[in-house]
Amino acid sequence: LESMQLTSNFRSRPELVHWANQEFAGCFPRRENLRTSAVGFLPSEAARAAGDTPDAVQLWPLPVDDLRVEAQWIAARILEQQALAPTQRIAVLVRDRGLAPCILDALRAASIAVRGVALASLAQHQTVLDLAALGAALLNEGDRTAWLAVLRSPPCGLLLADLVALARTDSGAPLVARLADPASWAELSPDARSRLQRVAPLLVSAWQQRQRAPLPDAIEALWRALGGEALAGEAEHHAAVQYLTALRQLMRDEAAVDGEVLQRLAARLRDTPQAGGDDAVPAVEVLTIHHAKGLEWDVVFVPGIGRAARPDRAPLMRWLALPATDDRQDLLLAVHSIGRAADSEPLSAYIQGLQQERQRNEQLRLAYVAFTRAREKLVLTGWAQPDPDGGMARADARSLLGRLWPSLRAEFSAAQASPRQDAQSSSQPDREVAAAPEAAVPRLRRSVAGFDPHAHRASLGAPASLDAGSDDPGERPEFTWVGPRARAEGTVVHAVLEAIADSGDWRLLESPRTLANAQRQLRQLGLPRAEAAAVADDVLARLGGLREEPRARWLLSRDHRDGRCELRLTGVVDGRVRNVIIDRSFIDEAGQRWVVDYKTSTHSGGGLQEFLASELIRYRPQLELYRTLASRLGPEPVRAALYFPWLREWVELDPHSPASENG
C-alpha cells in the first residue's frame, strides 16, 4: 500500500483557502500530543480558479452583546444575499443549540424559508405553550395557573389587571365557575367582558364535555374554536401539529398525563421547521457546527463567535484515560473532597487541566470546520469586550474568537472605536437600535376586540393535523358512554387478537404469560389491581369462546397474504393529511384486501340488527377513510367491515359506497 496525503481543496474559492491557512497556521499546536488531543495544522492548496466576488471573508463586530440584535442583522444580510444570488445555498452554523432559537425567530420574522435540524425546543412557540395550558386546564379545574394562562393567551387576550380582578375571590371557586357566571365579571373592564362573552362559553362547554374525546382531540378542538388556529402563522401552526402528534403518541403509551407532563413534553420536543423554499430560492439551513462536518454551502454565516461555552461545574469525580505504552491506557481518577479547597486536590486539578486543554483543541478544530464550509463567502459575527480606557478590546479566551484573537484583534478594536465609513457601512449593526431598551421588551400578542375566528379560517386552508379526525361532527363518533374500564378492556382485546394473528396459536389464551401481560397492561391503564385481575380473566375467557368460531378463525388466520395487525397508514385525502391505525388487514384467497375494525360493544335485549346498523352508520366515515388509504397499497379491491367479538357479529360496509380518492 502507498500512503498518500490529500491537500487539494476543491470546495472553497482560493481567497477562502488562503485566509484559513493564514489564520489557523499560528493557532494549531506545533506538536501532536495524544494526552491533550493536540494535532498539527496541515495547510490546504486551492484547486479552484480565483473568483471575482469581493470580500470572501466578512467580519462584523457587534456593538452590543445581544443575540436578538445579532440574529436580526443576520436575517437582513441573508435577504440582501438572496436578492443578489437567489439560487445560492446559505447556512447558519451555530456552536450550540442555545444560539438557534433567536436565529430561527429572526429568519421567520423576515419571511425567510428555513430548514432546521432539531435545534430549538417546541416550547419556544407561544402556540405550543397555549396548547399545553389548554390541556392542563381541561385536566384540572383547580389549576389556576393553567386557566389564567389560557385567558392570557392570544385567542382570549385578557390583560393582567382583568386577570387579577377575575381571580380575586374569597370563595375559592375554580375559575371555570366564574367564567360560567357573567354576573361575576362586573369588576372587569369593558374590553375583558366583551372578550369573555365570546370565549367563556367555549371554555365552559369544553370543560363540561372533556370526557367525550381523547385529550389531544379536545385540546385541538378547543384551540380551533377559540381562534388559535386562525391567529397562528405557518411556523406556529406547524409547531402545533408537531406537539399534538407527539401528544397522541404519548397518550397511546401512558395511562394518564397531567399538566406537568404536558409542559415537559413541550420542552423536550425539538422543533423541526418546515423546509420551505423552492428551486429558485433554497431554504436557509440552520444547524450546529458538529452537524456541518462534511457538508458545504455557497455562503456560510457563523454567529456568536465571541460567546464562550458555559463553564463546567466541578463534578464529584474526575477521571481520564491516558494512552500508555504497549497499547494500554492509564486511568486517572480523583474524587472531589467536599469542604476542602480546590487547590488541595492536585490530582483533580491536573485532570481538569488536561480536560480543558482537550476542549480548547477540540474547539479549535470545530472553528476550522465552521470556517471552511463556505464555497463563496464566509460571514463571521460576534462581540468582544471593549476596553473602558480606550485600549484594545478583549475576547473571551474560551470562545471561537478567542482562539483566533491574535489575528482578528486589530479589526475588532478598530470597528468598536468608530463606526465603519466605507460603502458597506449600511450593513454595520446599528448602535442606537441595538442599545435601545425597547428591543428587549416582548410585545403582547392578543386578538383584536370582536375577533371572529371563522372570518379568518378560510385564508389558512385545510389544517395539517395528522390525526384522523375532522371538523365535521358527523365524521367523528361520540364516545360519551365509554368509561375507563371499557377503554382498557378494548385495548387488551386488541393486543391479544394481534398476538393470536401474528403467531397463529390460539393456545396463547391459556398461557400464564398472556394473563400476566393482560393484567399488567390493565394496571398501566389505571385499573386497580383486583379489577385488573378480574377483567383480564373475563377477557381471556370470552376470547376463548371464539376459538371455534369460523369467522374469527378466518379473520386471524396466518394463511392470508400480506396479513397485518395495527396497520398504520398516512396519506392525503381531500387535501388533508390523514393518519389511521387499522386493526386487521389482509388479502384473502379471492385476491381481495380486507380492512377490519374490532368493536368490543355489547348489546342486550332485542333489536340486534338495528343496533348493528346504527354502529355501521356511526363508523362509516372511519371505514371509508380506511378503505381509501388501503386502496393505495396495491391493485386489489378493498372491502371494509366491523367485527364485534363479544357479539360474534360481522357488518360489512357496502362495497359500492363512494370513497374519496382526492389527494
Side-chain angles (χ1 to χ4, degrees), residues 79-100:
L79 287 175
E80 293 177 359
Q81 187 67 34
Q82 288 180 334
L84 292 173
T87 60
Q88 283 190 336
R89 296 176 60 239
I90 301 175
V92 181
L93 307 183
V94 295
R95 176 178 173 177
D96 54 60
R97 298 179 187 273
L99 296 173

Side-chain angles (χ1 to χ4, degrees), residues 11 16 48 77-78 81-93 107 112-115 117 276-287 291-301 372-379:
R11 172 190 301 125
L16 290 172
R48 288 179 52 188
R77 301 293 77 75
I78 289 178
Q81 187 67 34
Q82 288 180 334
L84 292 173
T87 60
Q88 283 190 336
R89 296 176 60 239
I90 301 175
V92 181
L93 307 183
L107 295 180
I112 298 174
V114 181
R115 180 184 293 110
V117 185
D278 49 41
D279 294 337
V281 183
V284 174
E285 298 182 62
V286 181
L287 64 166
H291 284 97
K293 293 179 180 179
L295 304 178
E296 63 181 52
W297 295 267
D298 296 305
V299 181
V300 171
F301 288 79
T372 56
R373 298 305 95 192
R375 290 176 48 82
E376 304 296 334
K377 182 184 293 186
L378 173 67
V379 184

Side-chain angles (χ1 to χ4, degrees), residues 607-627:
L608 176 60
Q609 296 306 314
E610 290 78 4
F611 169 76
L612 296 176
S614 66
E615 290 293 277
L616 182 60
I617 293 174
R618 180 192 298 271
Y619 294 104
R620 175 182 295 275
Q622 179 178 313
L623 290 177
E624 289 179 345
L625 178 61
Y626 288 1
R627 193 171 62 184

Side-chain angles (χ1 to χ4, degrees), residues 29 57 186 256 286 297 305 320 347 383 497 631 648:
V57 180
V286 181
W297 295 267
I305 62 172
L320 190 65
L347 181 57
W383 178 81
L497 292 179
S631 66
R648 302 189 183 185

Side-chain angles (χ1 to χ4, degrees), residues 469-485:
S470 168
D471 287 334
D472 182 4
E475 181 177 331
R476 181 174 297 172
E478 292 289 340
F479 296 98
T480 57
W481 48 270
V482 179
R485 172 168 175 162

Side-chain angles (χ1 to χ4, degrees), residues 3 37 92 123 133-134 181 223 256 263 295 323 330 338 361 449 451 487 496 499 576 616 650:
S3 174
S37 300
V92 181
L134 284 171
D181 181 17
W223 178 62
Q263 295 288 346
L295 304 178
D330 293 332
I338 300 176
N361 288 326
F451 173 67
R487 291 182 184 274
V496 175
R576 295 185 59 197
L616 182 60
W650 171 276

Side-chain angles (χ1 to χ4, degrees), residues 99-112:
L99 296 173
C102 283
I103 300 292
L104 293 171
D105 289 344
L107 295 180
R108 294 189 187 108
S111 300
I112 298 174

Side-chain angles (χ1 to χ4, degrees), residues 330-353:
D330 293 332
L331 178 64
L332 299 183
L333 175 64
V335 180
H336 177 64
S337 299
I338 300 176
R340 298 181 59 187
D343 56 6
S344 66
E345 301 172 359
L347 181 57
S348 178
Y350 176 70
I351 296 175
Q352 181 182 11

